């Protein structure tokens, strides 16, 4: 696929995964010359003054505990770290975020402008790609950004660890794999009480749910190398009780809604948390 040998490791990351013609066409629509873009990002990465973390999460299905990671960008953004979160706009994701802004309506937003203003950008992809196709599409998007220095792969796909290491060394980038278990269940997202989840007062059910969400997010945060596991645990737990996640989510939602209103494609929305 590529002239540069090491780049051919990327389409081989998913074990027994097929790099489809559909995916190739979609990448060609976005990148005029994908190989040149990848190599340019590799060269410019060391020169980039801006540093960005990039989360790639496989589709979150109903009742999956991996929903916890939907809050990871708001945790990381609160720590003044630039973060892009890339996942698919499943019903589970929409059930949560549509309470704050109209996810399906996509205003034209410049990623770099949003990052500069808020430290966060949510890239929620339509469900036109299967799990493997989406993984590769998101991975190429991440590697094509010269400012991305760390990538978190949150997935239940089986990935080739040796090829991940090769890509890390070639691109001079850190890649963290977080394996998820689809059978790890929580309550359905339609039943989530966001006020109990994100505010201080919680009953026993939400105390336990926040412990679970905090544990998963603190493990992700500690992978960055910026915080010890204990520091990460304390930071994340505090955010779930001190309304910091809600505040960051609300600011992001207001930014998107304002952009929608400025383009004349939105009605006002009331926050439900």
């Amino acid at each position: 696929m590529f002239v540069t040998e090491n780049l051919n490791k990327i389409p081989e990351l998913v074990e027994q995964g097929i790099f489809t013609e559909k995916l190739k066409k979609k990448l060609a629509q976005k990148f005029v010359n994908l190989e040149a873009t990848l190599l340019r990002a590799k060269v410019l990465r060391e020169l980039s003054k801006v540093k960005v973390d990039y989360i790639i999460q496989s589709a979150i299905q109903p009742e999956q505990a991996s929903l916890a990671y939907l809050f990871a960008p708001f945790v990381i953004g609160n720590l003044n770290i630039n973060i892009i979160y890339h996942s698919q706009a499943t019903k589970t994701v929409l059930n949560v975020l549509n309470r704050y802004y109209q996810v399906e309506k996509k205003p034209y937003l410049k990623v770099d402008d949003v990052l500069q203003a808020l430290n966060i950008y949510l890239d929620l992809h339509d469900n036109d790609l299967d799990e493997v196709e989406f993984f590769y599409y998101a991975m190429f998007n991440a590697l094509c950004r010269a400012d991305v220095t760390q990538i978190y792969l949150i997935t239940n796909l089986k990935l080739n660890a040796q090829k991940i290491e090769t890509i890390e060394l070639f691109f001079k980038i850190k890649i963290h794999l977080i394996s998820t278990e689809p059978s790890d269940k929580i309550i359905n997202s339609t039943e989530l009480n966001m006020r109990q989840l994100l505010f201080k007062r919680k009953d026993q059910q939400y105390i336990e749910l926040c412990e679970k969400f905090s544990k998963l997010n603190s493990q992700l945060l500690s992978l960055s190398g910026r915080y010890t596991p204990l520091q990460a645990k304390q930071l994340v737990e505090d955010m779930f009780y001190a309304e910091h996640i809600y505040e960051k989510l609300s600011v992001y939602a207001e930014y998107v809604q304002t952009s929608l209103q400025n383009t004349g494609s939105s009605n006002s929305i009331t926050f439900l948390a």
Side-chain angles (χ1 to χ4, degrees), residues 67-68 71 96 100 186-187 192-203 205-211 213-214 237 239-243 245-246:
L67 176 64
F71 300 97
V96 174
Y100 303 94
I186 58 170
I187 63 173
L192 271 180
N193 183 324
M194 298 301 291
R195 182 167 290 276
Q196 285 213 51
L197 181 65
L198 301 179
F199 284 66
K200 185 174 183 179
R201 291 188 177 181
K202 308 179 193 294
D203 62 21
Q205 180 186 20
Y206 280 87
I207 289 173
E208 293 173 2
L209 184 61
C210 279
E211 285 178 356
F213 278 20
S214 295
E237 285 180 349
M239 288 189 201
F240 270 104
Y241 277 84
E243 303 177 22
I245 294 174
Y246 171 74

Side-chain angles (χ1 to χ4, degrees), residues 4-241:
T4 307
E5 183 179 351
N6 279 327
L7 296 183
N8 288 313
K9 302 296 182 184
I10 305 172
E12 299 172 353
L13 278 175
V14 181
E15 294 186 355
Q16 299 180 342
I18 299 174
F19 202 86
T20 64
E21 288 300 319
K22 176 183 176 181
L23 175 59
K24 290 178 183 178
K25 289 179 181 178
K26 193 166 187 70
L27 288 168
Q29 290 172 354
K30 179 157 187 178
F31 302 102
V32 176
N33 187 325
L34 180 57
E35 181 160 0
T37 305
L38 287 165
L39 294 176
R40 182 174 182 273
K42 166 183 161 59
V43 172
L44 295 178
R45 185 160 286 115
E46 292 184 16
L47 304 176
S48 178
K49 294 181 180 179
V50 178
K51 306 298 181 186
V52 176
D53 286 10
Y54 201 111
I55 295 174
I56 297 170
Q57 181 168 12
S58 293
I60 306 171
Q61 302 302 338
E63 300 179 4
Q64 287 186 348
S66 58
L67 176 64
Y69 297 113
L70 179 60
F71 300 97
F74 303 103
V75 169
I76 294 171
N78 265 322
L79 298 170
N80 294 320
I81 300 165
N82 293 316
I83 179 73
I84 295 174
Y85 174 85
H86 201 167
S87 189
Q88 292 180 282
T90 61
K91 288 184 179 180
T92 301
V93 171
L94 297 180
N95 285 339
V96 174
L97 294 182
N98 271 341
R99 307 183 195 198
Y100 303 94
Y101 70 99
Q102 295 161 296
V103 178
E104 299 97 328
K105 293 186 177 181
K106 298 180 179 179
Y108 175 71
L109 296 174
K110 292 184 178 180
V111 179
D112 293 336
D113 289 349
V114 182
L115 286 175
Q116 185 175 6
L118 304 175
N119 304 115
I120 296 175
Y121 182 80
L122 302 188
D123 190 349
L124 298 174
H125 197 87
D126 294 333
N127 297 301
D128 58 335
L129 300 176
D130 67 26
E131 191 171 27
V132 173
E133 289 170 336
F134 169 76
F135 171 83
Y136 280 130
Y137 182 77
M139 190 69 179
F140 277 112
N141 273 267
L143 292 173
C144 282
R145 288 190 62 96
D147 53 5
V148 169
T149 57
Q150 299 202 53
I151 301 175
Y152 304 85
L153 306 176
I154 306 172
T155 183
N156 65 318
L157 293 171
K158 291 186 177 180
L159 305 182
N160 187 304
Q162 186 175 358
K163 289 174 182 176
I164 288 177
E165 185 178 354
T166 299
I167 293 167
E168 280 186 306
L169 293 172
F170 181 74
F171 283 98
K172 295 182 180 178
I173 198 169
K174 289 289 185 182
I175 300 176
H176 311 287
L177 175 59
I178 300 173
S179 297
T180 58
E181 178 50 65
S183 62
D184 188 5
K185 299 293 187 180
I186 58 170
I187 63 173
N188 194 289
S189 60
T190 58
E191 301 171 10
L192 271 180
N193 183 324
M194 298 301 291
R195 182 167 290 276
Q196 285 213 51
L197 181 65
L198 301 179
F199 284 66
K200 185 174 183 179
R201 291 188 177 181
K202 308 179 193 294
D203 62 21
Q204 188 58 38
Q205 180 186 20
Y206 280 87
I207 289 173
E208 293 173 2
L209 184 61
C210 279
E211 285 178 356
K212 189 177 193 71
F213 278 20
S214 295
K215 179 181 179 181
L216 293 173
N217 279 288
S218 63
Q219 288 172 347
L220 182 151
L221 187 60
S222 64
L223 287 174
S224 70
R226 301 182 182 102
Y227 304 96
T228 66
L230 179 59
Q231 288 173 328
K233 181 176 182 292
Q234 292 172 338
L235 283 168
V236 176
E237 285 180 349
D238 179 63
M239 288 189 201
F240 270 104
Y241 277 84

